[in-house]
Amino acid sequence: MSRISGILFCLAAAAACGRADASPLGDTSAAANPHGVTVRVLDVGQGDATYITNGGSRVIIDGGPDERRFGHLLDSLGIRNDTVDAVILTHAHFDHYSGLRELFRSSRHITVRYFFENGDPSTAASLRELRDSVAARVAAGALIYRDTDDPCGDGRPVCTLTLRGGALLHVLRPYPGRLTVNDRSAAVKLVGADSASFTMWLAGDAEHAAIDWFLWDADYDHVPGMRVHVLKGDHHGSCNGVSGEYLQALRPDTAVLSIGAHNDYGHMHAQAKAVYRAAGVPWYRTDENGTITIYSPGRPGGGYHIAVQRPGVDRDGPSDRPASARGCEDD
Ligand SMILES: [Zn+2]
């Protein structure tokens, strides 16, 4: 494992480090508890966007499919004239990168310190626009770029960021094959300041080939370890984003899934729900519950809790349907 030494440790006075979040859900602020970690799985429709705060550090993983919608979310979170310490684009699909372009809009005056992505070739003009924005800031010395295939720039597969409140973010090299764009998703493991209270696994749209590689080739089950409290379910609840072996390694209490209420893919697939049910893993989903917020105070025994924008226990959504058997293998 490699580590970006202290890059995200707060160097300012404690009061400046403990700036409060402007949260529409009113969770505990960094000022009140600098060790607390808040994870918001944002309701961006059919796509992914996750916002993590800890002790004044800010991390964004993916930005969803819609710039305008992500912009409104940034506004509601009070992110303007601010620094985002790390942005991680899990993989080069529109429903993950498109909204990130809003972060780089000059009128927002947002500084991004580190940007991680896999750099895979793409002909998409919208991705080129994002990459051009990143490259311009790199050229100006305002941003550090990391290729997720070498996340710390030293050849090691796991790069660990230390957030100001003591939480750790492990950025994991993705599957090196080129089967699908989804399988090139980087995985991220978040470890709360009290690791016994809260850990979370997020792996973009990784499908079975990548999942098997995480388990059997990369051996992430040993380093950094895959057992977590919460799983951000892969690939919007597609049946190719989950398996019994995967859940056996992760053993999450709960899964949270980011899904568009009206999507063309049949997400969440009936087969995926059967796999989660067989493992005894309940789930929340953004199409039913809206933005899902997880908070852990980061003190021993503090545990974690989950708050949803729209309470309810409906595990089914309007687009859910079974996938074809073949779709569950390589969709
Ligand atoms: Zn996706």
Side-chain angles (χ1 to χ4, degrees):
M1 203 183 315
S2 188
R3 189 174 283 267
I4 295 181
S5 301
I7 61 148
L8 302 179
F9 278 118
C10 188
L11 300 175
C17 295
R19 185 180 174 283
D21 291 339
S23 167
L25 296 172
D27 58 336
T28 305
S29 72
N33 177 7
H35 301 298
V37 60
T38 302
V39 181
R40 295 177 179 86
V41 179
L42 301 170
D43 181 11
V44 292
Q46 183 71 7
D48 264 8
T50 303
Y51 178 50
I52 299 168
T53 54
N54 173 244
S57 291
R58 300 182 182 86
V59 175
I60 290 174
I61 305 174
D62 294 335
D66 184 333
E67 277 179 283
R68 180 184 293 231
R69 188 162 177 170
F70 193 62
H72 287 149
L73 286 163
L74 292 175
D75 290 339
S76 74
L77 294 163
I79 305 175
R80 188 179 283 274
N81 306 311
D82 274 320
T83 295
V84 175
D85 297 278
V87 174
I88 300 161
L89 170 60
T90 59
H91 66 295
H93 265 163
F94 188 83
D95 59 318
H96 296 253
Y97 70 71
S98 182
L100 292 178
R101 293 178 292 168
E102 190 65 30
L103 268 182
F104 291 90
R105 200 172 293 287
S106 57
S107 59
R108 289 193 173 275
H109 303 289
I110 295 173
T111 299
V112 175
R113 297 178 66 192
Y114 283 81
F115 186 89
F116 293 78
E117 64 137 347
N118 63 30
D120 287 359
S122 169
T123 57
S126 49
L127 182 56
R128 195 161 57 242
E129 179 190 324
L130 174 64
R131 285 174 166 169
D132 285 349
S133 297
V134 170
R137 294 195 184 193
V138 171
L143 181 154
I144 295 171
Y145 177 88
R146 297 285 189 198
D147 189 323
T148 51
D149 285 314
D150 187 9
C152 253
D154 60 6
R156 285 182 279 185
V158 180
C159 191
T160 302
L161 315 181
T162 305
L163 308 189
R164 293 185 186 86
L168 303 177
L169 197 76
H170 301 295
V171 181
L172 311 180
R173 175 187 292 166
Y175 173 66
R178 293 287 193 273
L179 276 180
T180 68
V181 174
N182 285 341
D183 278 324
R184 291 281 294 144
S185 293
V188 173
K189 182 183 179 186
L190 172 65
V191 179
D194 176 50
S195 61
S197 287
F198 176 65
T199 47
M200 183 168 177
W201 181 267
L202 311 92
D205 287 354
E207 300 179 10
H208 287 155
I211 287 170
D212 289 349
W213 185 82
F214 295 155
L215 289 170
W216 315 121
D217 296 282
D219 204 20
Y220 291 148
D221 204 12
H222 284 99
V223 178
M226 288 177 64
R227 189 171 176 192
V228 289
H229 297 90
V230 177
L231 165 66
K232 199 289 293 173
D234 298 28
H235 198 191
H236 322 293
S238 170
C239 56
N240 62 24
V242 67
S243 68
E245 292 88 349
Y246 195 37
L247 295 183
Q248 201 170 10
L250 295 163
R251 295 171 65 185
D253 305 331
T254 306
V256 294
L257 294 118
S258 183
I259 308 169
H262 301 286
N263 68 79
D264 297 332
Y265 309 99
H267 298 157
M268 183 173 184
H269 286 153
Q271 294 95 329
K273 289 191 279 192
V275 174
Y276 284 110
R277 281 200 181 98
V281 179
W283 61 86
Y284 294 97
R285 43 189 297 166
T286 56
D287 58 347
E288 290 292 317
N289 299 116
T291 289
I292 300 161
T293 301
I294 305 148
Y295 177 74
S296 175
R299 63 173 186 279
Y304 71 95
H305 70 258
I306 298 177
V308 294
Q309 193 174 11
R310 292 191 292 275
V313 292
D314 192 351
R315 307 294 187 200
D316 303 315
S319 297
D320 294 11
R321 65 169 186 258
S324 68
R326 180 176 156 76
C328 290
E329 292 309 313
D330 52 14
D331 187 7

